[in-house]
Amino acid sequence: MASSAVAARHLRAGFSLAARASSGASRLGRVPKRLSSTVSTASLETPLDVFTPRHIGPRDDETIQMLKTLGYNSLEDFVHDTTPAGIRVSDDNLTDSVIKPLTEAELDERIREIAGKNKVLRSFIGMGYWNAVVPKVILRNITENPAWYTSYTPYQPEIAQGRLESLLNFQTMVTDLTGLDVANASLLDEATAAGEAMIMCLAALPANNKKRTFLVDSGVFPQTVDVLYTRALGFGVKVVVADAQEAINDPAISDDLIGVLVQYPSQDGSIIDYSDLTNKVHGLHAQMICATDLLALTLIKAPGEWGADIALGSSARFGVPAGYGGPHAAFFAVKDKLKRKMPGRLVGVSKDTMGHPAFRLALQTREQHIKREKATSNICTSQVLLANMAAMYAVYHGPKGLKAIAERVQQLTQALAMAVSAKGYKVTNSTYFDTLTVEVSSAADVMAKALEKGINLRKVDETHVGITLDESARLHDITALASAFDGASVPQSIVGGESIPSSFLRTSPYLTHPTFNAYHSETALLRYIYYLQAKDLSLVHAMIPLGSCTMKLNPTSTMAPLTWPELGSLHPFVPEDQAKGYHEMIKELEDDLCAITGFKACSLQPNSGASGEYAGLMVIREYLLSIGQGHRTVCLIPVSAHGTNPASAIMAGMKVVSVKVLANGNLDLVDLREKADKYKDSLAAFMITYPSTYGVFEDTVTEACKIIHEAGAQVYLDGANLNAQVGITNPATCGGDVCHLNLHKTFAIPHGGGGPGVGPICVAEHLAPFLPGHSQVKTGGSKAMSAVSAAPYGSASILSISWAYIKMLGGSGLKTATSMALLNANYIAKRLEPHYYVKFKNGAGRVAHEVLIELAEFDKKAGLKVSDFAKRLQDYGFHPPTCSWPLSTCMLIEPTESEDLQEIDKFCDAMIQIRQEAEDIITGKQPKENNLLKNAPHPMSVISLSEEEWNKPYSRATAAYPLPYLKIRKFWPSVTRIDDAYGDLNLMCTCPSVEEMEAKF
C-alpha cells in the first residue's frame, strides 16, 4: 500500500491546483500580502504575461526540492555534472540579446503584424491545392482541440481507440473512393506519396531484376515530378517524363519499365481513359499508379475499376486549409497483393481479450523501426490530425453530400467554360471536372485582369492559363473570373454536355457504411467527435513520458493563429508579394534555428523528422559529388540508432555499416576508428544521435566526429534529442556538419496523434549551397538539389507554432527549458533507482533528458514482459513510456520541462507501486498467469463483470484504484489488451460491416 504521505499527495492531486498559486508567484515577481501605499509607476512596465513560467512545469520551490533530492544547490551545478564540459557553449551563446523574448501579448501583436503582410486573394491556381471549406464543427472540435492534437501515435491502442476508429474511417473513405483493397492511414503529401509508390514498384520486382525505368506522364503535377527526381537518385531509377500513352511503345522504355504514373484528372483538367495503357503496363509486369482527386472520384470512375495498382493524392480538399502548402494528409491505396510492401501506418481491426472488436496498428513489421537497413521507406510520422479532419469531413457530408459538392464544382466549371468559349477563347481540354486550360493571346494580360479582381490564376505558359475551381467558389466568383476574359459573362443556364464522358461516369456505390450515413447534423457529428475523443489519452489528461518523443506543452498562444485566414488560406504558389508575412516569419525562424544549432543555413522544406534525415543525407551526397567524391557511399551508424537512420541512408543510395556500442551505452570509439579506417576511401557519412538514444551525453562525441572528418566524410547529427541541447550545447559545437530538427518535439508543434511533423535541416557553410530547391518557388541554395517535399516550405502553416514558441521563450528561456528537462528526467531516475535498474548514466551518475530502465529481471523471475508493465501503467492513468526501444527489454522515459513536480511524483509513485505488484508475483503472492500486470489494462467492461464472471485473485478496487488519486480523477482505457497476432492474421483495414462483426466477434 502507498504510504500515508503518498496518499495525502495523491488526494491533493485530485483537486484543484489553485493552492499552488503562492509557490508559482515567485516566477512572476513577489506578490505583496496587501497593497502597498506607494507603487513606482516604473514597475508597471514589468510584464505579467511572460511565457517561460507558464511553459515550464516546476515552480521555483519545486526546482529547489528536486535539486536537493539530487544533491545540488544550483541548477548550474547540476547541468555541469550532466553535460560534458567539452561540448558546452559559452554563457553568451544563446541569450535574450540573441533571441529577444516576447510576452504573450507582444507575441499576439507581432504575429498579427506579420499575418497582415499576407494578401488573402481568391486563388484558383489548382495543381493539387484547393480553397477548402472547413466545417466549423470540425475546426473547433478537432483542429483547435488539444484532446485531438496533443495525443501521440497510437502505439498503445487500448488508450487510443477514438482516433484509431477515425483513421479506420479515413482508410475506408479512401478504399471506397479509389476502388482499391487497402489504404494506409496517410502519408506526408502527394509528391512524396508518389515517390513511395515509385520505390514500391522497384520493391515488387524479383530480387534479380535489373529494370529501372519509371515513366511519368506529362500530365503529372510538376512538383511531384521534382520530388520523383530526388527520390530516384538513391535507388538508381531513371525517371522519364513523356506522354505515357505514346512512350509506352518505345522499347527503350517498355523493356526496362517498373511502373507508370498518371494524373487523373490530368493537370490540364482532362479526364483520360487509361485502361488500354494499364493493360500494356500489366503486360510488361509493371505497376500502374494513379495520382487522383477524392472529390472527383465521387463522379468519375474509380482507378481500381480501370486497373490501377496504386492510387494516391492529397485529401486536403476534404476540409483542410491550404496553409501555404501544408500540412495535408496524402492518401495511399493499393491492391491486396501489394499490402505488405505499402509504406506508412495501417490501422486494422482485431479483438481484445474479451473478444470485443478493437483497433490497432497492423502489419508493423513493414515499418522502418523493424526493417531498418532493409527498409525502402523511412516513413515514420504521417498526417493523422489532417487525416482525421478529412475523415470527419466525409462522415459529416456523407456520400450524397460529397456528390452534391462535386456536382456544384463541376457545374460552375462548365458555366465558366461556356462563358469564355462564348468570347472566342479556346478551352483546350474538352473533358474536365474542376480544371480548365484556356488558350489566350497573352497569359500575363489575362492574369493581370484577374488579379485586379482579387483572383489568382495559374500561368501554364505565355499563351495558356489554368483555372481550378473548388467548393469555396460561388457564382459571383465565376462572374468576376469570366469578366477577366474580355468581359465574358456567365450564361443564364448550363447546356448539358459531356465534360465527363458517359463511359467514365461513376456508377459504383461508395461510403455505404453506416458511419458515413449517420452524423449529418452538427449535433450528431459533435457527439460522435466527443464519443471518440473520450477514448483517447492525451496531454489534457496526463503526462505522456515517451522517450525520444518530447511530448511537451503545445502552447495555446502558439496554436491560436494557425487557423487565421491570413495564414491558413494562402495557396503555396501565389506570387511572392502576396506572402510577404510568411517569408518574413520563415526567415526569422531559419535565423533562430541557425543560432540555436550553430550552423550557417537552414531549409524548412522537409515535412517530417524522417524527411529531414533523408534531406540531410542527400545534401551530403550532392556536396560530395560537387568535389569529385561521389564514390563515397558508406554510412556508419551506431546499432543504437533510431530505425529511420539506416532506412534514410538506404534511400540516399548509401551502404549502411553498423558501429558497436560499449556495455555502458557509449559509442565504441575503437570500432568506429577501425571502420572509418577500413572505409576511408568510400566513407560518406556518420549518423549519430546526441544525447544518445540510451539517454546519456557521451564525453567522446567530438572525438568521434574528428575521426570521421579525418577520414574525409561528413557528420550527420540526428536532432531527435535536441531538447537536451538547446542553450547548453549545439550540433555544430559537437562536431556535426548537418542536423535535422523535430519541430514537433523540441519546438512545440503538437504530435497530432501521429502527425503532422516538421523536420528542417540546418547545415554548415560548405553544405549550404545544396539545400533543396523547388520547381515552382525559388528556395534553397545556389546549387540547390531538387525538392524533397511537394510544397516549397513543406508544412508552412505550422511553422508559425515553432516561430512563436522560440520568440516567447527567448534565448534565456530556451536554455532554462533545456535545464529543466534535464532536471525532471534526473529526478525521475533518482526516485526510480531503488526500484528499477537505471541502465545507463554518466560518470557523475546523471542521465540526460530521458531515463532508460531495464526490466529483463522481471521476465526471468516472473515471466513479466515490458508490455505487461506498459499495460498496467494505463490503469494508473498514464501513457506508458517508449517500450522495447532502443533495447527490447527496456522502457525509455522522457518527462520534458512542461511537467510539474506533482505530475512527476504521481508517475513515479505509479511505477513504484507497479514494482511492488511485480514483487508479489515474484514471491508467489500472485499467480504468474492471472495477475494485475498480465490482465492489464482493466477497463470498465472488466470492472463491471458480475461476481460469477470475476475470476481474478485480486479485488476490483485493486485493479482500478491502486493509488488514491485515481478515485478522484481517472482515465479509463476503453478496451482490454488487444490481440495483435489475431489482427494481422485476420487483416481487416476498413470499417467492418454488421455481417463481418457477427462472423468475427
Side-chain angles (χ1 to χ4, degrees):
M1 293 296 293
S3 68
S4 59
V6 170
R9 179 166 67 238
H10 293 164
L11 288 172
R12 288 195 302 272
F15 295 102
S16 169
L17 301 182
R20 298 178 61 228
S22 59
S23 62
S26 60
R27 287 183 176 265
L28 298 178
R30 181 168 297 175
V31 177
K33 293 183 179 179
R34 55 190 174 86
L35 289 175
S36 174
S37 58
T38 58
V39 176
S40 168
T41 54
S43 69
L44 300 180
E45 279 294 317
T46 303
L48 299 179
D49 61 337
V50 292
F51 176 65
T52 299
R54 296 179 176 182
H55 173 68
I56 293 173
R59 305 297 87 185
D60 287 349
D61 61 322
E62 294 175 339
T63 300
I64 292 169
Q65 181 181 336
M66 287 192 287
L67 286 169
K68 184 177 179 182
T69 300
L70 294 170
Y72 295 97
N73 293 321
S74 73
L75 194 58
E76 291 74 17
D77 289 345
F78 158 74
V79 170
H80 281 194
D81 270 2
T82 305
T83 57
I87 56 100
R88 288 197 293 270
V89 295
S90 63
D91 290 340
D92 61 357
N93 180 267
L94 191 63
T95 64
D96 288 347
S97 62
V98 177
I99 301 176
K100 179 186 175 182
L102 301 177
T103 67
E104 293 197 54
E106 290 168 341
L107 185 282
D108 186 70
E109 292 175 4
R110 178 74 177 115
I111 188 66
R112 288 184 186 279
E113 176 190 356
I114 285 178
K117 296 179 181 180
N118 294 330
K119 298 178 183 177
V120 183
L121 276 61
R122 304 289 283 128
S123 289
F124 299 122
I125 299 170
M127 297 176 69
Y129 298 95
W130 304 271
N131 307 295
V133 175
V134 187
K136 292 296 188 288
V137 63
I138 296 174
L139 181 72
R140 182 64 178 266
N141 298 290
I142 293 183
T143 318
E144 299 176 344
N145 184 348
W148 283 85
Y149 67 66
T150 67
S151 54
Y152 190 67
T153 302
Y155 286 130
Q156 296 292 334
E158 297 84 0
I159 51 176
Q161 288 295 290
R163 65 186 179 281
L164 283 167
E165 179 174 331
S166 183
L167 289 173
L168 197 73
N169 293 342
F170 178 83
Q171 292 176 182
T172 303
M173 171 188 80
V174 172
T175 55
D176 276 14
L177 290 173
T178 61
L180 288 165
D181 301 313
V182 184
N184 69 17
S186 75
L187 292 176
L188 298 175
D189 59 39
E190 180 171 328
T192 55
E196 299 284 357
M198 177 176 67
I199 304 309
M200 268 187 72
C201 294
L202 197 61
L205 294 171
N208 60 350
N209 199 302
K210 303 301 182 184
K211 292 182 178 180
R212 284 295 185 275
T213 296
F214 187 70
L215 177 59
V216 181
D217 187 69
S218 52
V220 170
F221 295 138
Q223 70 269 22
T224 298
V225 175
D226 202 21
V227 171
L228 288 172
Y229 281 135
T230 309
R231 286 291 183 99
L233 292 172
F235 293 94
V237 172
K238 180 183 178 182
V239 175
V240 176
V241 180
D243 182 331
Q245 297 188 95
E246 294 182 4
I248 194 74
N249 299 313
D250 182 350
I253 292 174
S254 59
D255 292 350
D256 194 49
L257 193 68
I258 63 172
V260 176
L261 172 65
V262 297
Q263 195 87 41
Y264 174 74
S266 180
Q267 68 167 312
D268 73 349
S270 298
I271 300 169
I272 299 171
D273 184 349
Y274 290 115
S275 54
D276 287 344
L277 174 64
T278 300
N279 291 334
K280 291 180 181 179
V281 170
H282 289 161
L284 295 168
H285 306 290
Q287 308 297 322
M288 187 67 179
I289 306 166
C290 173
T292 189
D293 167 14
L294 293 178
L295 190 64
L297 294 182
T298 65
L299 299 183
I300 65 176
K301 189 178 292 187
E305 295 175 5
W306 48 259
D309 300 292
I310 302 171
L312 57 91
S314 171
S315 65
R317 78 184 305 167
F318 277 22
V320 180
Y324 201 45
H328 300 143
F331 62 87
F332 197 93
V334 301
K335 287 183 176 177
D336 186 75
K337 66 179 182 179
L338 295 172
K339 66 189 177 188
R340 294 185 182 275
K341 302 288 186 183
M342 182 171 61
R345 316 289 192 203
L346 179 65
V347 176
V349 183
S350 186
K351 63 181 180 179
D352 69 4
T353 58
M354 298 183 73
H356 299 151
F359 312 116
R360 29 77 75 180
L361 295 179
L363 299 182
Q364 289 196 57
T365 52
R366 300 169 299 111
E367 297 191 40
Q368 44 71 28
H369 64 282
I370 303 293
K371 297 186 75 173
R372 296 179 69 83
E373 68 274 7
K374 295 181 181 178
T376 55
S377 170
N378 69 351
I379 191 71
C380 185
T381 300
S382 55
Q383 303 282 23
V384 166
L385 183 66
L386 299 316
N388 282 331
M389 290 175 65
M392 283 299 177
Y393 180 93
V395 168
Y396 194 30
H397 290 293
K400 292 182 180 178
L402 291 177
K403 186 174 182 180
I405 292 169
E407 288 175 338
R408 173 63 58 84
V409 171
Q410 195 276 332
Q411 290 162 359
L412 287 170
T413 307
Q414 188 171 350
L416 180 61
M418 292 174 63
V420 299
S421 296
K423 276 290 185 179
Y425 290 94
K426 180 181 179 182
V427 177
T428 61
N429 53 309
S430 59
T431 58
Y432 51 82
F433 164 59
D434 65 355
T435 297
L436 304 175
T437 299
V438 184
E439 185 177 337
V440 296
S441 58
S442 170
D445 288 348
V446 171
M447 292 180 68
K449 291 176 182 177
L451 193 60
E452 290 174 1
K453 303 175 186 301
I455 296 173
N456 290 314
L457 304 180
R458 178 191 174 201
K459 181 180 179 181
V460 178
D461 56 35
E462 298 302 323
T463 57
H464 291 86
V465 295
I467 308 164
T468 298
L469 303 184
D470 52 52
E471 180 189 3
S472 73
R474 297 291 182 266
L475 186 59
H476 65 82
D477 295 312
I478 307 308
T479 301
L481 186 51
S483 67
F485 292 83
D486 292 338
S489 58
V490 176
Q492 293 297 312
S493 60
I494 302 171
V495 179
E498 279 206 359
S499 61
I500 300 176
S502 57
S503 61
F504 257 67
L505 286 170
R506 181 161 191 156
T507 58
S508 57
Y510 50 87
L511 305 186
T512 58
H513 191 273
T515 299
F516 297 98
N517 296 277
Y519 306 107
H520 300 329
S521 74
E522 182 171 328
T523 300
L525 187 71
L526 183 67
R527 289 172 180 163
Y528 182 54
I529 289 171
Y530 277 81
Y531 163 74
L532 296 183
Q533 175 185 311
K535 297 182 178 186
D536 286 15
L537 188 148
S538 68
L539 284 175
V540 306
H541 301 102
M543 174 170 71
I544 300 180
L546 284 158
S548 196
C549 298
T550 315
M551 297 294 291
K552 65 169 65 179
L553 170 74
N554 310 124
T556 306
S557 290
T558 70
M559 296 296 296
L562 190 63
T563 53
W564 294 352
E566 296 89 342
L567 296 178
S569 298
L570 265 67
H571 191 288
F573 305 150
V574 297
E576 189 171 332
D577 71 315
Q578 294 180 25
K580 287 182 178 179
Y582 258 118
H583 286 277
E584 184 173 331
M585 181 182 67
I586 286 167
K587 178 64 167 62
E588 289 185 9
L589 180 56
E590 289 174 344
D591 290 346
D592 287 347
L593 293 178
C594 286
I596 289 165
T597 60
F599 285 127
K600 180 69 174 180
C602 174
S603 170
L604 298 168
Q605 192 178 114
N607 49 10
S608 77
S611 178
E613 288 181 21
Y614 170 68
L617 290 173
M618 289 300 291
V619 166
I620 289 174
R621 173 193 171 107
E622 292 298 308
Y623 165 72
L624 291 173
L625 285 168
S626 75
I627 60 171
Q629 296 287 301
H631 59 279
R632 292 181 173 270
T633 57
V634 171
C635 185
L636 300 180
I637 303 177
V639 294
S640 59
H642 193 282
T644 53
N645 284 184
S648 297
I650 293 298
M651 289 175 61
M654 297 183 182
K655 176 186 176 183
V656 174
V657 176
S658 62
V659 179
K660 298 175 184 177
V661 295
L662 301 173
N664 65 0
N666 287 346
L667 185 68
D668 187 335
L669 284 187
V670 173
D671 190 52
L672 178 67
R673 191 173 281 109
E674 287 177 355
K675 285 173 177 169
D677 183 62
K678 178 179 179 181
Y679 296 103
K680 62 184 178 182
D681 294 330
S682 57
L683 185 60
F686 171 53
M687 300 186 79
I688 184 171
T689 303
Y690 197 71
S692 77
T693 56
Y694 290 160
V696 290
F697 284 98
E698 299 176 46
D699 293 334
T700 57
V701 63
T702 54
E703 186 177 352
C705 294
K706 183 180 178 182
I707 291 170
I708 299 303
H709 287 144
E710 288 175 348
Q714 301 291 296
V715 174
Y716 177 95
L717 201 147
D718 188 312
N721 292 342
L722 194 76
N723 206 52
Q725 290 190 42
V726 179
I728 294 173
T729 184
N730 63 48
T733 299
C734 291
D737 298 291
V738 56
C739 74
H740 90 270
L741 318 174
N742 294 92
L743 298 191
H744 50 288
K745 296 182 182 182
T746 309
F747 300 105
I749 289 176
H751 283 73
V758 179
I761 55 172
C762 293
V763 299
E765 187 170 9
H766 64 285
L767 298 180
F770 307 97
L771 289 174
H774 195 273
S775 64
Q776 303 301 300
V777 177
K778 180 172 172 50
T779 62
S782 58
K783 301 176 182 178
M785 59 177 277
S786 48
V788 296
S789 300
Y793 299 102
S795 297
S797 67
I798 58 175
L799 297 178
S800 62
I801 300 170
S802 294
W803 172 87
Y805 171 83
I806 292 169
K807 292 302 184 189
M808 285 197 295
L809 280 177
S812 63
L814 288 164
K815 182 176 181 179
T816 301
T818 303
S819 300
M820 293 306 300
L822 298 174
L823 180 62
N824 281 353
N826 277 273
Y827 177 80
I828 289 176
K830 184 70 173 180
R831 281 212 61 198
L832 295 186
E833 199 167 25
H835 311 278
Y836 296 93
Y837 176 54
V838 177
K839 185 78 173 176
F840 301 117
K841 295 178 286 187
N842 70 8
R846 302 275 70 88
V847 299
H849 66 308
E850 51 194 2
V851 188
L852 192 67
I853 60 171
E854 176 64 79
L855 302 177
E857 63 172 297
F858 301 103
D859 189 9
K860 295 176 183 177
K861 295 177 181 177
L864 294 173
K865 309 292 186 183
V866 174
S867 60
D868 297 320
F869 284 82
K871 303 307 179 186
R872 181 56 175 156
L873 194 55
Q874 294 178 14
D875 285 328
Y876 287 77
F878 283 103
H879 192 294
T882 299
C883 294
S884 300
W885 186 86
L887 298 175
S888 62
T889 56
C890 290
M891 274 185 169
L892 187 63
I893 305 164
E894 182 185 358
T896 83
E897 70 276 11
S898 300
E899 300 300 337
D900 60 32
L901 181 57
Q902 191 171 62
E903 185 76 357
I904 289 170
D905 273 333
K906 279 171 57 181
F907 172 78
C908 292
D909 291 342
M911 290 295 294
I912 292 167
Q913 185 71 8
I914 293 171
R915 174 63 180 84
Q916 181 57 54
E917 294 170 351
E919 188 64 25
D920 289 345
I921 301 167
I922 293 170
T923 58
K925 292 181 181 179
Q926 288 282 318
K928 286 191 174 183
E929 297 303 324
N930 184 15
N931 57 63
L932 286 162
L933 276 73
K934 286 292 183 183
N935 293 333
H938 298 81
M940 189 58 73
S941 58
V942 171
I943 300 302
S944 61
L945 289 172
S946 67
E947 290 297 330
E948 293 76 16
E949 294 172 304
W950 186 264
N951 63 348
K952 299 170 177 38
Y954 49 86
S955 69
R956 290 175 173 80
T958 303
Y961 305 113
L963 288 175
Y965 72 86
L966 293 163
K967 294 181 179 179
I968 300 164
R969 187 171 65 184
K970 177 179 172 69
F971 180 87
W972 289 88
S974 57
V975 295
T976 63
R977 197 176 305 196
I978 295 174
D979 188 336
D980 287 328
Y982 178 88
D984 281 353
L985 290 171
N986 300 272
L987 192 65
M988 183 189 302
C989 298
T990 57
C991 298
S993 65
V994 174
E995 294 78 14
E996 288 171 323
M997 293 284 281
E998 288 177 346
K1000 291 182 179 292
F1001 307 106

